[in-house]
Amino acid sequence: MYRIKQIDTDIDLSGFSRWLKEQGVGHRITEEGGSQILWLENPEHTEPVIQALERFLREPDVQKAVNTTARSPVFVGGRWQPSPRHAPVVLGMILLAVLMAWVTAMGQNQLSTLLMFVDPRFYDVGTMADRIQALSSTLASGQVWRLITPDFLHFSWTHIIFNSVMLWFLGSQIEWFDGRARLLLLFVATSLLANGLQYLVTGPLFGGLSGVVYGILGYCWLSQRRVPRFQFPPALITFAVAWMVIGFTPFTEMVGLGRMANEAHLGGFVAGLALAAILPVPKKAPRNRGA
C-alpha cells in the first residue's frame, strides 16, 4: 500500500471510498493520530485519485452527489441494480418497443409504416428535396408522432435486446438521479435530432432506440464530469464512439451486419452532449426515495 494523503477526521470519506471501489481503485482508509490516511494499492492511480479527492473536498455539490449515491438503495454491493419501481418511465419505453416489435412483426408488415418518419407508400423520398417536401406534408397533416415513433421500430430481436439493455442501464440512472422530467426531455431532444438527421440522409426506412441510447450515453459521460453520480465503465464511451465511427465505413456491410443508422447515432450523441453542456445538474440530486 502507498500512503498518498492525510485528511481531517471530520470529513466523511465513506462516499468517496465507495466511488473509488466502483472505479476499480484498490485502496484503504485508516486513522492515525487524529487524521484519516488514504492508501492506494497502485501508485499509478495517485495523480487521478488526488485530483478527484481535491475536487470532492472543494466542491460541495460533488461531495453531496457522491455521498448520496453511496447511500442510494439502488446500489447493491457498489453496483447499480435498480428494480422496475426505480425507473418506471424507462421500463415503459422498453415495453412499448417490445410491443411494437411484436405488432409490426419486426418491421415486416404495413403497420410499421405508421411508425416511420414519413409513410414511404405515399411519398417519393429519392432526393433531399423530396424528403423535405414529404416531411412538410406529413407534419401539415398532423402526424407529428412520426418524429418520435421510429424509436420504437426494430428489425430483429438482437437489435431490440441490445438497445433495451443499454437504455435500462443508463436511462434508469438518469431517471433516478436527475429525475423523470430530465429523462423525458433527453428522450425527446435526442429522438428529434437523431431521427431527423437519419431521415434527411437516408430516407424513412430506419428505426430503433440506438439514437436515444447514444444521446443518453453522451449526456451521462459529459454531465458526469461536472458532478459524479452515474456508474458505467469508462471504456464504454470509447467503445461506443469507436463503433459509431466504424459504422460510417463499409466494414459492417462487409461482415454481414448491414448498414447501421449511423446518422441517428451521431445525431443522438451530439444532442446528449449539448444537453449535458447547457442544462444545469439538478441541485436536488437523487431522490433518496426508499427502496
Side-chain angles (χ1 to χ4, degrees):
M1 284 282 185
Y2 296 85
R3 177 181 179 134
I4 67 163
K5 188 72 173 179
Q6 180 174 309
I7 308 102
D8 291 341
T9 54
D10 59 352
I11 297 174
D12 182 7
L13 292 178
S14 59
F16 184 76
S17 177
R18 176 70 63 86
W19 180 80
L20 287 178
K21 182 180 178 181
E22 291 167 2
Q23 306 308 307
V25 177
H27 69 286
R28 188 159 49 103
I29 297 177
T30 62
E31 287 194 23
E32 294 181 10
S35 297
Q36 299 178 89
I37 310 300
L38 175 61
W39 305 77
L40 293 181
E41 291 182 357
N42 188 342
E44 294 181 1
H45 292 153
T46 299
E47 185 175 350
V49 168
I50 287 293
Q51 291 177 352
L53 178 60
E54 288 177 349
R55 188 177 177 200
F56 175 82
L57 298 175
R58 183 177 65 247
E59 302 180 28
D61 285 347
V62 171
Q63 192 171 138
K64 180 180 178 181
V66 170
N67 287 336
T68 303
T69 298
R71 295 192 301 269
S72 173
V74 288
F75 279 96
V76 180
R79 299 294 179 186
W80 175 252
Q81 297 182 33
S83 71
R85 66 179 178 274
H86 294 132
V89 174
V90 172
L91 180 61
M93 292 177 185
I94 293 171
L95 292 177
L96 181 58
V98 172
L99 176 62
M100 290 300 100
W102 175 71
V103 168
T104 64
M106 288 294 173
Q108 299 303 308
N109 61 33
Q110 289 195 358
L111 289 175
S112 62
T113 61
L114 294 175
L115 303 182
M116 293 180 181
F117 214 71
V118 302
D119 194 327
R121 298 173 299 174
F122 304 138
Y123 298 102
D124 182 2
V125 291
T127 68
M128 177 75 74
D130 291 334
R131 292 168 198 154
I132 293 174
Q133 177 58 43
L135 177 59
S136 177
S137 298
T138 297
L139 296 179
S141 68
Q143 300 179 55
V144 293
W145 71 81
R146 292 182 180 274
L147 299 176
I148 301 295
T149 51
D151 296 342
F152 301 103
L153 183 62
H154 289 81
F155 305 105
S156 71
W157 283 113
T158 303
H159 190 201
I160 195 171
I161 289 172
F162 177 80
N163 283 340
S164 296
V165 169
M166 292 299 297
L167 181 61
W168 177 252
F169 177 59
L170 293 173
S172 60
Q173 295 189 56
I174 294 174
E175 183 171 351
W176 180 262
F177 290 111
D178 288 6
R180 290 165 190 162
R182 177 64 57 88
L183 173 69
L184 289 172
L185 174 60
L186 187 62
F187 172 77
V188 171
T190 55
S191 295
L192 292 176
L193 187 54
N195 294 337
L197 184 59
Q198 187 68 49
Y199 169 73
L200 290 176
V201 174
T202 67
L205 302 181
F206 69 91
L209 283 161
S210 302
V212 172
V213 168
Y214 264 91
I216 284 175
L217 179 60
Y219 173 85
C220 287
W221 174 72
L222 186 56
S223 189
Q224 173 87 342
R225 297 173 71 86
R226 298 168 65 185
V227 176
R229 60 202 183 281
F230 304 127
Q231 183 186 91
F232 57 90
L236 180 60
I237 184 71
T238 304
F239 171 80
V241 171
W243 184 246
M244 180 168 57
V245 172
I246 290 172
F248 282 98
T249 72
F251 177 77
T252 56
E253 294 179 87
M254 290 170 56
V255 298
L257 296 177
R259 191 179 187 282
M260 297 190 299
N262 305 305
E263 289 75 16
H265 298 169
L266 177 61
F269 190 63
V270 169
L273 291 176
L275 287 177
I278 65 178
L279 294 176
V281 175
K283 288 289 181 190
K284 226 175 184 176
R287 304 167 285 256
N288 240 349
R289 304 170 286 196

